[in-house]
Amino acid sequence: MAHKFEIYKDKAGEFRVRFKYNSEIMFSTEGYTSKASAQNAIDSIKKNGPDAPVEDNSK
C-alpha cells in the first residue's frame, strides 16, 4: 500500500499521527496524551476528510 497512517510517540512522550504517501510525510497532527485520542484523530480524518472543502488563501 502506497499510503498509510502511523501513530508514533514524539520526544515529549505524546502520541502523534502522520500520514505517509510513498514514504513521504504528507502531514502530521498535534500531540495527544493517549493513543486512543490519536486513533480518534485518524477516524475523524477518514470520516470527515472526503467531504472537507478546500479553502484557497493563496490570492
Side-chain angles (χ1 to χ4, degrees), residues 15-59:
F15 294 94
R16 292 184 181 264
V17 175
R18 60 183 159 216
F19 181 78
K20 286 186 164 184
Y21 183 76
N22 288 335
S23 300
E24 182 179 340
I25 298 170
M26 304 302 289
F27 68 83
S28 59
T29 65
E30 63 183 290
Y32 298 98
T33 56
S34 71
K35 191 183 240 183
S37 293
Q39 183 62 55
N40 287 341
I42 293 170
D43 295 341
S44 178
I45 292 165
K46 286 181 173 182
K47 178 182 175 186
N48 300 306
D51 296 325
V54 175
E55 184 175 313
D56 184 354
N57 295 318
S58 63
K59 299 174 186 175

